[in-house]
Amino acid sequence: MRITIPVRPALVASLVATMAFLTPSAEARPRKAKASATAASLTVDYAIALAGMRIGTGRLAGAFERDSYRVDVSATLTGLVGAITGGQGSARSTGTLGAGPLPSTFSIATRTANSGIAVRMALAHGNVAQTEITPPLVDMQDRVPVTATDKRGIVDPASALVMPVRAGSAPTDPANCDRSLPLFDGATRFNVTLSYAETREVQKPGYSGPVLVCNARYKAVAGHRPDRPGVRFMEDNREMSVWLAPVEGTRLLVPLRISVMTEIGTNIIEATRWARTGETGPVAPALAQATIPEQ
């Protein structure tokens, strides 16, 4: 779900920047998954709240077939906030699954009442091969340059929402929280580091059972403006967490809830409906190590 609505950096990028506001993006044309008995899909609807006030809705739709995946994420601001900002966005990522997600395409498009931005990325073996941002980013003198090294071994914000269970571990093994996500959204590179906090039992429409509660920390790497108060706030922020729920019949974990303290209150993205269909076999062995990025 990008981890931000008002704040851009974020936790597994707050459901793709609160589901899509995490980065700019554009449409991609990923390969269509073949129908098969091993295909499975998951749809999760989310409510988005800020400082206790509901401000929007989001959705994550994932399709998994053995070692391949497609994830679509969308978000729309509603109510007074939506009326003022007209904020909405959508993102899509496709790729393969191993020890981590290995994206091949990523796109995201966001729009407000008076502006919009789109990003499209092509990747190979976890490395960025091509990036297109429309309109182009403004060249800010204080922005930390993104180097070729920063674009290697990364994960996009949408792919980061799908976390394979560690080899030899049960889905709710605390070790599944302990991971570092190297994220890149086409413009900014950042790390989100997760660590185990606790295990809880939850009940949601469509899902009842244990979830892993992982604490999260944010670290800017490149593409950001280091003197901006928001960047410093996020790097010092210890009030960020994600609840990971297992997708039945797979070796995957997906966020059920994301909570991020912002400068104007706590941003919470929480599932209101969890719907899974189809069957799938175990995720194939690791194809490559992937890390995760930010914006």
Side-chain angles (χ1 to χ4, degrees), residues 101 152-156 180-184 189 191 289-293:
R152 299 183 64 82
I154 63 90
V155 175
D156 66 80
S180 180
L181 309 175
L183 295 161
F184 182 62
R189 169 74 175 81
N191 292 332
Q289 277 289 7
T291 42
I292 301 178

Side-chain angles (χ1 to χ4, degrees), residues 191-206:
N191 292 332
V192 173
T193 301
L194 303 181
S195 60
Y196 177 73
E198 62 176 319
T199 301
R200 292 190 180 189
E201 291 287 329
V202 301
Q203 285 192 330
K204 294 286 182 182

Side-chain angles (χ1 to χ4, degrees), residues 26-108:
E27 263 180 40
R29 295 196 180 192
R31 183 181 57 187
K32 224 175 178 185
K34 300 176 189 173
S36 112
T38 61
S41 64
L42 174 71
T43 301
V44 188
D45 291 329
Y46 298 89
I48 303 170
L50 178 64
M53 179 178 71
R54 183 159 175 167
I55 62 170
T57 61
R59 169 170 287 188
L60 180 153
F64 315 104
E65 187 174 0
R66 293 200 177 276
D67 65 344
S68 66
Y69 71 91
R70 185 188 73 227
V71 177
D72 289 283
V73 183
S74 61
T76 301
L77 299 183
T78 58
L80 180 61
V81 174
I84 294 173
T85 67
Q88 58 183 268
S90 61
R92 168 173 285 186
S93 181
T94 66
T96 55
L97 290 164
L102 196 64
S104 56
T105 66
F106 170 70
S107 64
I108 183 170

